[in-house]
Amino acid sequence: TGTGAYGASVTSSTHERKSKTNIITNKQRLYLKHNTFTTDIPIIVVLKAMNIETDQEIVQLVGSEPIFVAGLALSLQEAASLKIFTTLQALEYLGSRIRTYPGKKKRKTKVDEARDI
């Protein structure tokens, strides 16, 4: 696009729902954009919700080359500033940002809903 921004997109469909997931950059941070959430979610929060809790694990999975570490630095700092360090904290964060629909009965906790996404 000429802006130097990177991104990725996945569209999926099941018998229950259709969804589109994007990984976007904003202010040199990585975010997950998903139609289930009311706002863009910091990618580190998503990884922590997937039980990848330590910064070291995240860096090892993404790549320990300087270009990747530098690219993750602000995203890692953002998760820390949100005080999200554990899987449960990340799931609570995600659960509080799930889009709600009028008339839809709530059968699960917010944490369980976040796990299902």
Side-chain angles (χ1 to χ4, degrees), residues 6-70:
Y6 296 93
S9 178
V10 175
T11 303
S12 63
S13 180
T14 68
H15 65 283
E16 291 180 5
R17 72 178 84 166
K18 185 175 185 178
S19 67
K20 183 167 184 155
T21 305
N22 293 290
I23 303 297
I24 61 170
T25 57
N26 185 2
K27 298 180 183 172
Q28 298 180 312
R29 293 173 176 89
L30 293 166
Y31 294 91
L32 179 132
K33 184 180 198 77
H34 190 279
N35 53 348
T36 302
F37 295 113
T38 58
T39 185
D40 297 343
I41 306 294
I43 197 66
I44 302 302
V45 174
V46 175
L47 293 171
K48 288 180 183 283
M50 296 168 62
N51 206 31
I52 306 166
E53 289 188 345
T54 69
D55 294 353
Q56 181 179 353
E57 285 177 286
I58 292 168
V59 169
Q60 286 173 341
L61 286 169
V62 173
S64 57
E65 292 84 359
I67 190 168
F68 296 126
V69 175

